[in-house]
């Protein structure tokens, strides 16, 4: 293949983009320049004072982009969010996109960048992927300050009588580092504290991250931080972050970070990228503050939820909407023919071949996600994210299957053509919002028991027959019920299947969801129900992406993606 | 005392300051606005492309501010640096100040802020003290990426045959956290790596920090990072960061951080604050890149060295000047009457009382620092940093003692009066530079043996009779001599005395300096000679400052200082 026909990599496409000064992007949202805090030429934060003063303005329309059950083939939720933002801009709408911030860890592992792809990207991509405006570092510092103050409290006499075997608050680092998953700290003698078992999570798994993303303002943030439970006394009394007196300093560390970040797509559409909690042990959406800021300044706001809609959209609706008081106006479910073929039994290495049978069989996955999402009273549009290998017969088949099932679906070619490729999709979503007003409802009532809420999710969305747990876990449910029974549920399970078995593709039914553990995130305000192995500190692969990254003589970074 | 007469705290004074837009500050140095990367309204970085393109411009005059041996009474090196910057501005000079960035850890412990004090402060103080422009977080991430890649290399088969008992590269966190001083990582089974002993240092103690501050440009940075030794094989072969293939990604993480940060004093004098290595196991000066940038844009550049001049100035001259090729034009030694009285035997709680005897006895400390500094061929001015409790008799005595000893000294009242209070000092230093051209020389020749260099420092500057070490340490010297014998020495000893006994005040002589350990910082390019207990991970005090920090309703931070 000659150099001319070699497709450009994401980083090459991003580097060729002409960026507008960030003030020009803010002008599109009519945010006064006094309140734009520049971070370099092409990144900004919007001042907290300004953000908090906009609460009386009306909201634009909120559009959630979610996906089918993820496969190795990828679906392109971020790319579609970006493409639709550009598409809406092109058809004359005032629009803002809200995305999560990427984590450093996966960047050096194998995941690659998290700012879209092809001609639907957010820029400046290198800066967004490396440090960005420092939010994750601030969150890590706030988390670890609390950790240090806990051990310091124990060291100086332990007035609160924390049981050092029952300190649940670990430490965090924004790195994929398996060696830190389990460790013994405080070794080396009296001057180094009390030896005890500890663990590091990756920063995105920190409860501080979840709190940061659910807080409505700085005051709310400070209150929620105080509610973090760091461990218990020997007789089981909860000890809170506020007991450790860490909360004011943690808030001071987060004061600037809490201001939403503004960047742009390659076509100049405003994009807020702010916060990025794990989508398993947390809720997996960008910050409430960014979403609210976007809604106050744009007529259409596109945002994204992690994993498939069974996890991402459910948490977006039942956790983020509940905590923020916001309501969604529409949902877009992203699907690809390649991924649906995997759900229908096709093999990864044969996705280049037409396979109508597999596509038809795999369609059940999409259908389930659409019907799940409709249960929240939200109108749904399917975005068929085009790949060049899709055949005409496959595309006709999928669109036909959607039509038969009463599902609106539009093809979108934004990866290759940017906003132009997403115009039809964007117009269809606008029309849907005009013609089909949402009647949003949470899936479950907050007054249901924690067990009842969990069962509702499993039965209604996962197609499960029931949930099960051993006596110890059921006792945990019971113990939490008294004091925290009104909290929403955050399910941590494999994203790779509706069931808890990652190999069960398509739309399995009648399975049972075994619950392994329950964890309280009292600061974030949800109960994490763990179904399966959940990794909160990834490791690096045999050949980490980091080995190929370098800085060229001219200062450009190579190998990042 | 009524509220009107209550003196304002540093943070209150700083908050009352009217800041100029950072572009106006850059204009004073004639740095084109295209190359100013704003970080909020009052902080900026200067673009790397621009900085690296200025190398042919002539340098301004370089003035080092160092101190007498520190005591609990404080000397005020940073405050004097800031005051002199403002003083030089007031007498019509084009000036820039170069300081170190503060570390988060001490902020939450008991040290308080590190941006000057009284009416000689750098602003915005809260932002400079918390996160600033993210450099320390970037340095921490680069350090810990290497750590993760080391353990990952071992995990995936250990092709380099690193002996996991001999990995010397630990991990870092920008926190005072004694529990992390010694730990066991890699616990929990096969999937979590190999169990081994490890340690965390505070980020400022990272060799990456020292490298960052000594690098002349990005390319030099990348090369030096590659030279970091991370451990050895079982048979003692050094393994380098470049063998781990971490260097490109580490450089990518540091690409933005390496750009010098520009802020302002309360009087609008330009101030570069960039880098902040430990002054014991590293050299304790701000970055070479910032100092060079300042010298290319100002006629007078004031910079500061950590601890007393025996450590700070010596390392500034013998390490920073050697690595950068720069030459100093003058040195200012900061002294206070209070501190000299402690050196003369006065007690801390009686410093409010006039004590001419103690002052006269303590003068030897100042005298030694002046004569030490003159050994480098640099003209010296003493800045007598005024305190309101100083009596007229004490001031007369000290100035008289200086005159008798042939030492130029000027009183300076910048803490209370800002630049106006430092005008006389500033004019005196300008006159000294005009009349007494420096004839700078390193204290020792690079070709001396490592042992010989160490002895020269101890005998010439500390007044020691000799240095001693046991066989094991002497063998270490010998082993390093062959391959690294040409490196300069970085002495890690107590800053509280010329000797290694922190209780020996004044100017002890004839003592012996026992060497406990030698460490090679091959990337930074010096050999650390450890004389005494050196703490590279501080702990928090019984009542950490963090407990008193909070964010007010209006968003202002209280309790930080």
């Amino acid at each position: 293949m000659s150099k001319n026909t070699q497709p450009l990599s994401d980083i090459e496409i991003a580097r060729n983009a002409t960026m507008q000064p960030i003030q020009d992007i803010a002008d599109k949202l009519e945010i006064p320049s006094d309140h734009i805090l520049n971070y370099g030429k092409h990144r900004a934060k919007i001042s907290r004072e300004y953000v908090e003063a906009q609460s009386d303005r009306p909201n634009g329309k909120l559009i959630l982009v979610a996906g089918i059950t993820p496969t190795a083939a990828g679906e392109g939720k971020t790319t579609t969010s970006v493409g639709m933002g550009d598409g809406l801009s092109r058809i004359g709408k005032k629009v803002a996109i809200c995305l999560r911030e990427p984590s450093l860890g996966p960047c050096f592992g194998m995941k690659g960048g998290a700012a879209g792809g092809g001609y639907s990207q957010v820029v400046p991509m290198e800066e967004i992927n490396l440090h960005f405006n420092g939010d994750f570092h601030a969150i890590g510092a706030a988390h670890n300050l609390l950790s240090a103050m806990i051990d310091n409290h124990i060291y100086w006499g332990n007035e609160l009588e924390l049981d050092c075997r029952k300190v649940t608050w670990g430490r965090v680092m924004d790195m994929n580092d398996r060696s830190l998953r389990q460790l013994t700290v405080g070794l080396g003698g009296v001057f180094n504290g009390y030896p005890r078992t500890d663990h590091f999570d990756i920063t995105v798994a920190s409860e501080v991250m979840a709190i940061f993303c659910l807080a409505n303002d700085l005051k709310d943030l400070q209150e929620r931080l105080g509610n973090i439970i760091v461990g218990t006394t020997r007789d089981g009394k909860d000890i809170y972050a506020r007991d450790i007196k860490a909360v004011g300093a943690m808030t001071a560390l987060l004061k600037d970070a809490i201001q939403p970040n503004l960047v742009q797509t390659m076509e100049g559409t405003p994009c807020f990228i702010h916060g990025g909690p794990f989508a398993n042990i947390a809720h997996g959406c960008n910050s409430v503050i960014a979403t609210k800021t976007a809604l106050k300044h744009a007529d259409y706001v596109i945002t994204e939820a992690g994993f498939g809609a069974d996890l991402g959209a459910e948490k977006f609706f039942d956790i983020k909407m509940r905590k923020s008081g916001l309501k969604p106006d529409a949902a877009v479910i992203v699907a690809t023919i390649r991924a649906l073929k995997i759900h229908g039994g096709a093999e990864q290495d044969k996705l280049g071949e037409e396979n109508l049978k597999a596509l038809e069989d795999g369609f059940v996955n999409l259908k389930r996600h659409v019907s799940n999402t409709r249960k929240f009273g939200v109108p749904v549009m399917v975005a068929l994210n085009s790949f060049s290998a899709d055949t005409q017969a496959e595309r006709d088949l999928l669109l036909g299957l959607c039509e038969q099932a009463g599902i609106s679906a539009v093809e979108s070619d934004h990866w290759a053509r940017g906003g132009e490729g997403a115009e039809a999709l964007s117009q269809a979503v606008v029309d849907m919002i005009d013609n089909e007003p949402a009647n949003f409802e949470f899936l479950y009532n907050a007054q249901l028991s924690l067990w009842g809420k969990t069962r509702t999710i499993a039965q209604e969305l996962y197609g499960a027959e029931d949930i099960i747990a051993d006596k110890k876990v059921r006792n945990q449910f019971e113990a939490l019920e008294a004091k925290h029974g009104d909290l929403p549920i955050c399910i941590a399970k494999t994203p790779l299947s509706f069931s808890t078995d990652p190999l069960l593709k398509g739309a399995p039914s009648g399975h049972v969801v075994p619950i392994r553990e329950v964890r309280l995130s009292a600061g974030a305000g949800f109960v994490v129900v763990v179904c399966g192995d959940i990794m909160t500190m990834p490791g690096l692969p045999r050949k980490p992406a980091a080995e190929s990254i370098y800085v060229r003589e001219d200062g450009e970074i190579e190998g990042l993606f």
Side-chain angles (χ1 to χ4, degrees), chain A:
Chain A
M1 199 181 259
S2 84
K3 199 170 173 209
N4 285 336
T5 57
Q6 180 87 38
L8 294 173
S9 69
D10 285 355
I11 198 169
E12 286 167 322
I13 293 171
R15 203 180 283 150
N16 292 340
T18 307
M19 284 186 273
Q20 299 172 37
I22 195 65
Q23 182 59 55
D24 294 358
I25 302 300
D27 287 347
K28 297 184 186 185
L29 299 176
E30 294 165 69
I31 300 174
S33 62
D34 271 7
H35 296 287
I36 302 299
L37 308 171
N38 285 60
Y39 281 66
K41 305 279 184 209
H42 302 110
R43 297 173 281 146
K45 281 186 171 283
I46 316 297
S47 86
R48 196 181 50 75
E49 296 75 10
Y50 175 78
V51 165
E52 292 186 1
Q54 306 309 307
S55 57
D56 288 341
R57 293 171 65 150
N59 284 336
K61 300 294 182 186
L62 180 55
I63 303 163
L64 174 69
V65 174
I68 58 169
T69 301
T71 68
E75 329 74 52
K77 289 192 299 286
T78 307
T79 306
T80 303
S81 301
V82 174
M84 269 189 69
D86 289 337
L88 285 163
S89 292
R90 288 179 65 95
I91 61 173
K93 303 301 180 186
K94 191 171 169 189
V95 60
I97 304 165
C98 288
L99 300 176
R100 289 169 292 165
E101 298 185 49
S103 168
L104 269 182
C107 229
F108 297 122
M110 52 184 167
K111 193 185 158 211
Y119 288 87
S120 288
Q121 289 191 59
V122 186
V123 283
M125 146 200 270
E126 298 95 321
E127 297 175 21
I128 292 169
N129 277 286
L130 299 176
H131 309 307
F132 198 24
N133 294 346
D135 301 342
F136 283 19
H137 291 309
I139 288 166
H143 183 117
N144 291 327
L145 174 63
L146 177 55
S147 317
M149 289 178 78
I150 291 167
D151 278 307
N152 193 57
H153 179 87
I154 295 171
Y155 177 81
W156 285 106
N158 200 7
E159 205 176 312
L160 294 167
E161 298 183 356
L162 254 171
D163 185 336
C164 74
R165 302 163 308 175
K166 294 180 178 171
V167 175
T168 47
W169 192 254
R171 289 170 164 90
V172 296
M173 189 179 279
D174 196 11
M175 197 60 69
N176 284 12
D177 193 344
R178 67 171 68 73
S179 291
L180 298 180
R181 284 178 192 153
Q182 191 175 320
L183 33 85
T184 313
V185 299
L187 301 177
V190 168
F191 293 110
N192 296 353
Y194 286 80
R196 65 179 186 85
T197 299
D198 197 11
H199 68 277
F200 272 79
D201 288 334
I202 189 165
T203 301
V204 289
S206 165
E207 188 177 346
V208 176
M209 176 69 84
I211 290 171
F212 182 92
C213 290
L214 288 173
N216 285 290
D217 53 38
L218 193 67
K219 204 178 153 202
D220 187 26
L221 176 79
Q222 181 152 324
E223 275 172 27
R224 287 170 185 275
L225 291 173
N227 291 335
I228 291 171
I229 294 171
V230 302
T232 66
T233 61
R234 200 178 164 106
D235 52 6
K237 189 181 151 240
D238 289 334
I239 304 292
Y240 291 87
R242 59 174 170 264
D243 301 326
I244 302 290
K245 298 184 186 150
V247 178
M250 291 169 76
T251 308
L253 281 167
L254 296 169
K255 181 172 98 76
D256 288 342
I258 200 76
Q259 304 176 123
N261 306 301
L262 183 66
V263 287
Q264 63 190 290
T265 68
M266 291 199 312
E267 299 186 12
T269 301
C271 183
F272 292 95
I273 302 197
H274 196 225
F278 249 29
N280 51 32
I281 57 138
H283 62 291
C285 315
N286 74 281
S287 79
V288 164
I289 288 176
T291 304
K292 285 190 170 175
T293 304
L295 286 167
K296 299 299 180 190
H297 293 87
D299 296 326
Y300 293 88
V301 172
I302 297 164
T303 190
E304 182 202 9
F307 293 155
D310 54 331
L311 286 163
E314 189 272 318
K315 292 176 184 187
F316 177 83
F317 294 139
D318 279 325
I319 298 177
K320 182 171 175 176
M321 296 296 98
R322 207 182 287 260
K323 301 285 180 190
S324 64
L326 293 172
K327 291 187 176 182
D329 294 285
V332 173
I333 306 286
V334 182
T336 64
I337 285 172
R338 295 157 59 84
L340 289 175
K341 288 197 288 189
I342 289 186
H343 280 294
E347 282 167 45
Q348 175 73 26
D349 57 357
K350 295 200 175 136
L351 293 178
E353 300 166 16
E354 183 173 277
N355 190 339
L356 298 173
K357 170 76 171 62
L359 179 59
E360 185 162 4
D361 289 349
F363 176 68
V364 291
N365 185 269
L366 173 59
K367 198 172 153 191
R368 165 91 58 89
H369 283 295
V370 171
S371 81
N372 279 353
T373 306
R374 285 177 174 164
K375 289 185 181 171
F376 293 88
V378 177
V380 177
M381 177 70 61
V382 166
L384 169 54
N385 184 13
S386 300
F387 271 70
S388 55
D390 302 342
T391 69
Q392 189 60 46
E394 288 174 329
R395 290 151 65 199
D396 291 343
L397 173 62
L398 180 58
L399 293 172
L401 288 167
C402 285
E403 203 182 334
Q404 277 168 35
I407 296 171
S408 310
V410 178
E411 276 188 276
S412 193
D413 192 21
H414 44 272
W415 190 91
R417 298 197 295 135
E420 194 187 359
E423 274 189 36
L425 171 65
S426 303
Q427 187 61 55
V429 172
V430 166
D431 293 344
M432 182 174 76
I433 290 172
D434 287 345
N435 300 323
E436 250 186 275
N439 184 20
F440 175 66
E441 278 187 276
F442 304 122
L443 185 72
Y444 52 79
N445 183 310
Q447 302 316 313
L448 292 188
S449 69
L450 296 170
W451 183 268
K453 291 170 193 170
T454 307
R455 190 173 49 200
T456 300
I457 296 168
Q459 291 177 336
E460 292 292 330
L461 304 188
Y462 304 165
E465 189 173 308
D466 207 349
I467 58 175
I468 53 164
D470 63 22
K471 182 73 184 155
K472 189 181 147 208
V473 171
R474 292 201 310 275
N475 287 345
Q476 286 183 298
F477 268 97
E478 213 165 293
L480 286 176
E481 193 64 44
K483 217 167 147 188
H484 304 284
D486 59 336
L487 292 181
I489 298 296
C490 180
I491 295 204
K493 75 161 181 65
T494 176
L496 302 176
S497 171
F498 278 115
S499 74
T500 55
D501 175 356
L503 300 177
L504 279 185
K505 300 295 173 198
S509 282
H511 50 95
V512 161
V513 174
I515 298 169
R516 186 175 294 194
E517 187 192 342
V518 192
R519 297 183 200 169
L520 173 63
S521 289
F526 51 67
V527 171
V528 183
V529 174
V530 180
C531 313
D533 279 325
I534 295 301
M535 176 63 69
T536 51
M537 173 52 98
L540 291 169
R542 182 183 287 271
K543 187 168 165 46
E547 288 187 3
S548 312
I549 295 172
Y550 66 98
V551 181
R552 295 193 323 215
E553 290 269 328
D554 66 357
E556 297 284 0
I557 296 174
E558 286 290 355
L560 197 50
F561 309 98

